[in-house]
Amino acid sequence: MAKPYETVIVVDAMIPDESITSEFDAIGKLIETQGKMIKLDRWGKRKLAYPIRKRTHGEYAVFYYEGTGAIAAELDKRFRINENILRWLTIADNPVG
């Protein structure tokens, strides 16, 4: 059964804007292959609270989607090997009620 998920990612802001957009597009396409993309909320470039891999700024985005635990595991696996993605957090959104 599909559950709602939210994934927040921080992409290296030092790469070109076209590369940032293509990173977000690739994540959206991957979600669509195994689930249903609901919304992408781009927060833009922000200063990081602390340096990550000597970077001080990141491009933030939140993906809202539905799927199984397999999609969350696949995203986690891909994010670990992608050097452009500095941080990410995926949560299963369990509505109350």
Side-chain angles (χ1 to χ4, degrees), residues 29-42:
K29 287 177 186 170
L30 178 62
I31 290 170
E32 283 292 331
T33 62
Q34 299 182 25
K36 178 184 171 197
M37 182 76 174
I38 297 171
K39 185 171 97 171
L40 168 61
D41 188 10
R42 290 183 70 164

Side-chain angles (χ1 to χ4, degrees), residues 23 53 77-86 88:
E23 289 285 351
R53 286 193 244 140
K77 185 173 90 172
R78 301 251 177 131
F79 293 162
R80 286 183 191 283
I81 60 174
N82 188 335
E83 292 184 3
N84 291 330
I85 297 178
L86 301 175
W88 67 93

Side-chain angles (χ1 to χ4, degrees), residues 52-70:
I52 301 171
R53 286 193 244 140
K54 299 182 181 178
R55 301 290 189 231
T56 58
H57 289 79
E59 176 94 17
Y60 287 72
V62 182
F63 290 85
Y64 299 94
Y65 56 96
E66 291 178 348
T68 62

